[in-house]
Amino acid sequence: HFQRVNLLAVILATLALVGVLARLALTFHENGKLLELTQREAVTDLLTGLGNRRRLMGDLEQMLVGASPARPWLLAIYDLDGFKSINDTYGHEAGDQVLRVAAERLRSCGREVDTAARMGGDEFALILPGVSDPNDAALVANRLIVALGEPIVIDGDSCSVGASVGIALHPRDGHAVETLVRAADAAMYASKASGGNCSSLADPRKQ
């Protein structure tokens, strides 16, 4: 009888230990998923699902690792034209809808190897590996301008936005992330100064 009691105690203790280990494993698994989710959210724009500015800067740093003239790429910065007017007229929810549509159009126009990001506000960016010719860069930018300009229906009204685009080519326009972002940003403002809804290449003389 004493041996049966001991055996039962051992079995119960073993089952209790198995239960504790299972709960620990589940906790570690859930914590791992939570950590992965937190890390993903840290580099994701929650409104559009694109990468955020932090993700963009990290991707640009990676592009520079082992960079060479044989591996060209470009950075295009897009600022939506007419967005403020829509936001003021229809409200912030409508503005958010426009940003989500713009993000989807930007993503759909790119290739799988391209990286799209929202830098903040109504400013987006696109990294295109393998593009080195300024004419090809302008064609890509203008194709995206056309896509972004397609009508968007808000509260039964047909609205549209344009885009001012600035393009910086690596390695022509710089060898550091900050230099390339600054060059693309300056070119974007040159597009705005020209009336918007167009693209401009960075001026190498100003780098």
Side-chain angles (χ1 to χ4, degrees):
H1 176 73
F2 180 73
Q3 287 179 339
R4 286 201 300 272
V5 171
N6 280 348
L7 179 60
L8 180 60
V10 169
I11 291 173
L12 291 174
T14 301
L15 289 173
L17 179 60
V18 169
V20 169
L21 291 175
R23 287 194 295 275
L24 283 173
L26 180 61
T27 300
F28 285 135
H29 178 68
E30 289 177 344
N31 286 345
K33 288 173 64 179
L34 180 61
L35 178 61
E36 181 183 347
L37 178 62
T38 301
Q39 290 174 334
R40 188 164 62 247
E41 287 183 346
V43 293
T44 302
D45 176 62
L46 299 182
L47 176 64
T48 63
L50 297 179
N52 58 17
R53 186 182 184 90
R54 180 178 178 183
R55 167 69 185 274
L56 175 74
M57 301 303 276
D59 286 348
L60 287 171
E61 291 285 1
Q62 286 299 312
M63 293 294 292
L64 291 173
V65 175
S68 71
R71 296 172 58 195
W73 49 272
L74 71 78
L75 169 66
I77 293 181
Y78 291 71
D79 191 81
L80 300 184
D81 299 325
F83 173 77
K84 185 178 184 302
S85 175
I86 293 176
N87 208 41
D88 291 345
T89 303
Y90 296 96
H92 293 297
E93 287 188 12
D96 288 348
Q97 179 187 341
V98 170
L99 292 173
R100 284 191 291 266
V101 170
E104 183 54 39
R105 290 177 179 176
L106 194 63
R107 185 164 30 211
S108 65
C109 281
R111 305 162 300 175
E112 287 189 12
V113 295
D114 299 337
T115 300
R118 181 185 175 210
M119 300 182 72
D122 60 348
E123 193 168 272
F124 296 85
L126 194 63
I127 304 172
L128 285 85
V131 180
S132 59
D133 185 273
N135 293 323
D136 291 341
L139 287 173
V140 170
N142 292 332
R143 186 173 73 243
L144 289 166
I145 290 172
V146 171
L148 289 170
E150 290 293 321
I152 302 170
V153 177
I154 300 174
D155 293 341
D157 293 336
S158 180
C159 306
S160 63
V161 292
S164 295
V165 188
I167 300 168
L169 296 165
H170 177 272
R172 190 195 76 167
D173 297 317
H175 299 274
V177 169
E178 294 79 8
T179 304
L180 289 162
V181 170
R182 189 165 57 246
D185 210 41
M188 182 269 289
Y189 280 108
S191 293
K192 277 199 175 296
S194 297
N197 214 36
C198 63
S199 65
S200 300
L201 290 166
D203 186 347
R205 296 169 300 177
K206 296 182 180 179
Q207 307 310 318

